[in-house]
């Protein structure tokens, strides 16, 4: 990688960010929503359990 910061970010922009829209089907969207909901619920449950155990003062 070149030492110039502008060219570093330019190469990252070309390699990591794409303007191509990838079409997903409905199953992918439902699966993502379910996993997001499970993650939120487990975070809330963990915080609640830790507060009951007296971890937070």
């Amino acid at each position: 990688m070149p030492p110039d910061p502008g060219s570093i970010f330019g190469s990252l922009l070309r390699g990591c960010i794409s303007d191509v829209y990838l079409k997903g089907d409905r199953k992918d969207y439902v699966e993502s929503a379910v996993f997001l909901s499970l993650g939120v619920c487990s975070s809330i449950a963990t915080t609640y359990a830790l507060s009951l155990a007296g971890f937070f003062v």
Side-chain angles (χ1 to χ4, degrees), residues 6-20:
S7 59
I8 291 172
F9 289 119
S11 63
L12 288 173
L13 183 64
R14 282 191 306 275
C16 299
I17 300 173
S18 175
D19 290 335
V20 176

Side-chain angles (χ1 to χ4, degrees), residues 17-51:
I17 300 173
S18 175
D19 290 335
V20 176
Y21 177 72
L22 299 175
K23 185 175 182 178
D25 58 347
R26 185 178 178 118
K27 181 184 173 191
D28 292 336
Y29 297 131
V30 171
E31 184 177 316
S32 296
V34 167
F35 281 124
L36 178 68
S37 300
L38 286 174
V40 168
C41 291
S42 66
S43 295
I44 292 170
T46 301
T47 304
Y48 182 70
L50 288 174
S51 66

